[in-house]
Amino acid sequence: MRILVMGGTWFLGKAIAELALARGWSVTTFNRGRSGRDVEGVESVHGDRTDREDLQRLARHGLWDAVIDTSSSDFPPRDVLLATTALRQAARRWVHVSTVSVYRGWPNEALADDSPLLDCPEDADETFGYTGDGGSPTVYGFQKAGGERAVTAAFGDAAVFLRPGVILGPGEYVGRLPWWLERTKRGGRILAPAPAEQRIQPVDVRDVARFALDQAAGTASGGFNVTHPDGITFRAFLEACLAETGGAGTPVWVDPEVLIEQGVRQWTELPLWRTHAGVWAVDSRRAVEAGLRCRPVVDTVRDTWRWWAANGRPVDHPRWAEHGIAAEKEAKILASV
């Protein structure tokens, strides 16, 4: 197998490149060479995916059996269309890392692979879309839906869409799991979002990488929800964080109504907490039937702590600063319950 990874220097892109090399595949990566180091053993091509001449230069390095695009999040559909059009004759398949945010019902409704998508043209610019009053839909969701349409316009039935919810694991750049690890390590009374038995579905970056490669080598098309089919309760998740870090802490489970009344921002101040009914009700059955295998979330917690404790540091990313509640605010809420 010969693949091209759009990105390929950090988190999911890096995991894909490393695993592909371990399989004995030939790997080309394409990125700007600014935010991470190229994996040793890949053919590295540096350039701007929004530059037509750079893409044409990249295409001359083909033919690839598949492109795996891990770097489209910050680009509007028209830029995705530019890349897919430029590379159509240089690749047989396109595996596109998308998001559950492309669904109209996200995060308010339970979702399946055939749930309706948001509507966005394949040539839309970054201004297309809107964010609803309740935070759904989002501009991000519209943009990613348009990106999927751009891939389909170029690759048709040779396109595969991976729609993860939350990806955790070593190298995470958003800061969700590292924040919980640091918080549990600090110990004491820990503000925790009730109900404790709420099941969450984060998936390990290495499992997403494996599934992406399997799809690159396969013949399937269409969308796959890439969420943990078993998941873990929030209680078990925090217990795993406490066990790994050795923190002498006690979660204090506070009702969502109180957290909202106290102005706690969902999804960020208490990472992974969100009250919407569908946020952790994403059916990944089609992906499982196609070979998705997810390790226990406690293993992801363990390996992420080992990476973090060994001075693991992700690439700099602005989303890192969004996550985690200030100690003073947490203490104030805990004192009131």
Side-chain angles (χ1 to χ4, degrees):
M1 281 288 293
R2 188 163 189 259
I3 65 168
L4 166 65
V5 181
M6 302 290 278
T9 60
W10 44 283
F11 202 39
L12 179 58
K14 181 182 178 184
I16 288 172
E18 290 175 340
L19 184 55
L21 290 171
R23 291 185 177 188
W25 293 9
S26 173
V27 181
T28 303
T29 59
F30 180 68
N31 53 71
R32 293 176 298 177
R34 297 177 183 175
S35 58
R37 294 182 179 179
D38 293 306
V39 173
E40 184 176 354
V42 306
E43 176 193 25
S44 176
V45 181
H46 289 166
D48 186 340
R49 63 177 293 162
T50 67
D51 186 295
R52 190 180 304 275
E53 291 185 1
D54 282 359
L55 290 168
Q56 291 172 344
R57 174 171 52 83
L58 171 64
R60 292 195 287 271
H61 290 259
L63 179 76
W64 296 284
D65 295 296
V67 176
I68 304 178
D69 189 357
T70 68
S71 68
S72 68
S73 293
D74 297 328
F75 298 95
R78 67 178 181 186
D79 288 338
V80 178
L81 183 62
L82 178 66
T84 55
T85 302
L87 297 174
R88 182 61 188 96
Q89 300 306 313
R92 297 187 178 96
R93 287 171 64 74
W94 190 285
V95 178
H96 196 73
V97 180
S98 186
T99 169
V100 293
S101 295
V102 298
Y103 290 113
R104 292 183 197 170
W106 169 259
N108 298 307
E109 304 170 5
L111 297 172
D113 298 289
D114 58 356
S115 295
L117 304 181
L118 294 169
D119 189 16
C120 177
E122 66 265 25
D123 59 351
D125 64 18
E126 62 277 3
T127 66
F128 190 92
Y130 64 92
T131 296
D133 292 339
S136 177
T138 63
V139 170
Y140 175 72
F142 279 106
Q143 293 280 308
K144 292 292 279 186
E148 288 194 11
R149 185 172 287 185
V151 176
T152 300
F155 280 81
D157 289 339
V160 178
F161 305 103
L162 309 187
R163 298 171 183 148
V166 171
I167 303 177
L168 303 178
E172 184 199 333
Y173 64 91
V174 175
R176 295 184 176 105
L177 181 47
W179 185 84
W180 277 116
L181 289 166
E182 284 292 335
R183 178 62 193 91
T184 52
K185 178 186 176 183
R186 195 166 78 240
R189 300 176 76 221
I190 301 168
L191 183 63
E197 302 310 314
Q198 169 66 56
R199 190 162 291 273
I200 60 178
Q201 298 176 283
V203 64
D204 191 289
V205 62
R206 295 161 294 184
D207 297 330
V208 181
R210 184 185 306 111
F211 187 66
L213 292 177
D214 291 346
Q215 294 310 305
T219 59
S221 63
F224 292 93
N225 293 333
V226 185
T227 56
H228 203 298
D230 301 317
I232 189 171
T233 66
F234 225 113
R235 183 193 303 278
F237 171 74
L238 290 189
E239 287 175 349
C241 290
L242 285 162
E244 290 299 330
T245 62
T250 302
V252 178
W253 299 97
V254 177
D255 289 339
E257 295 79 8
V258 175
L259 296 175
I260 293 170
E261 183 180 289
Q262 294 290 335
V264 179
R265 294 193 305 276
Q266 298 189 45
W267 211 232
T268 54
E269 283 195 298
L270 290 180
L272 306 179
W273 167 63
R274 201 165 182 177
T275 59
H276 302 74
V279 68
W280 298 119
V282 181
D283 186 353
S284 57
R285 194 174 317 166
R286 182 172 188 247
V288 171
E289 291 172 352
L292 174 66
R293 298 294 179 267
C294 293
R295 70 198 69 202
V297 178
V298 293
D299 291 356
T300 302
V301 172
R302 178 198 64 213
D303 294 343
T304 302
W305 174 245
R306 291 177 179 176
W307 161 73
W308 186 250
N311 201 34
R313 288 294 180 271
V315 297
D316 291 333
H317 197 281
R319 292 182 68 187
W320 189 276
E322 298 175 359
H323 290 85
I325 190 169
E328 299 80 7
K329 184 173 182 178
E330 180 188 23
K332 180 180 179 181
I333 295 172
L334 287 170
S336 68
V337 297

